Amino acid sequence: QVQLVESGGGLVQAGGSLRLSCAVSGGTFSRYDMSWFRQAPGKEREFVAVINKSSYSTRYADSVKGRFTISKDNAKNTMYLQMNSLKSEDTAVYYCAADWVGGSGRKYHYWGQGTQVTVSS
């Protein structure tokens, strides 16, 4: 019943910026650790960034450190990925994900449908 919907993708020139959004419905947003992954054509899906439920801890893939910033807004039930200094190798479908550990210790994981980011050079 938890639904994640990505938006904000598009076509941008190298060196430009985009901000992706991930809107969450059907659950309690503040319970979730949130993350971004991406998958280029013919490539494996790879980790991009993660933010914990308190927003106090973040982690980034080496390939995006210093260029991308992950954040979330509990009032809007939305996570963001600010992407600056974009490179052609950033071209991929970007997916958001939510993770939650219940009181019993059971782990839950949800995926969005993805949004296309294309960087031209």
Side-chain angles (χ1 to χ4, degrees):
Q1 65 176 3
V2 176
Q3 186 177 41
L4 286 69
V5 179
E6 300 95 334
S7 62
L11 176 64
V12 64
Q13 291 187 344
S17 298
L18 283 174
R19 189 179 74 160
L20 305 184
S21 298
C22 174
V24 179
S25 62
T28 304
F29 180 75
S30 61
R31 294 178 179 174
Y32 306 138
D33 295 331
M34 301 294 299
S35 59
W36 288 97
F37 291 76
R38 66 187 183 185
Q39 188 167 22
K43 303 295 184 181
E44 299 288 333
R45 186 172 298 188
E46 65 175 353
F47 167 78
V48 175
V50 63
I51 185 168
N52 80 340
K53 65 181 182 180
S54 69
S55 298
Y56 294 156
S57 179
T58 59
R59 181 168 61 87
Y60 299 89
D62 289 342
S63 59
V64 307
K65 285 180 180 177
R67 300 188 298 119
F68 290 11
T69 303
I70 189 171
S71 63
K72 62 178 182 176
D73 186 341
N74 287 348
K76 297 181 178 179
N77 287 356
T78 302
M79 174 181 64
Y80 304 96
L81 184 68
Q82 179 65 47
M83 304 185 294
N84 298 325
S85 301
L86 283 162
K87 306 174 181 179
S88 60
E89 53 262 43
D90 295 318
T91 295
V93 177
Y94 283 71
Y95 299 89
C96 65
D99 294 274
W100 174 52
V101 179
S104 65
R106 179 157 170 33
K107 297 180 180 178
Y108 299 86
H109 186 79
Y110 307 96
W111 290 99
Q113 84 292 340
T115 186
Q116 177 71 49
V117 172
T118 303
V119 183
S120 63
S121 61

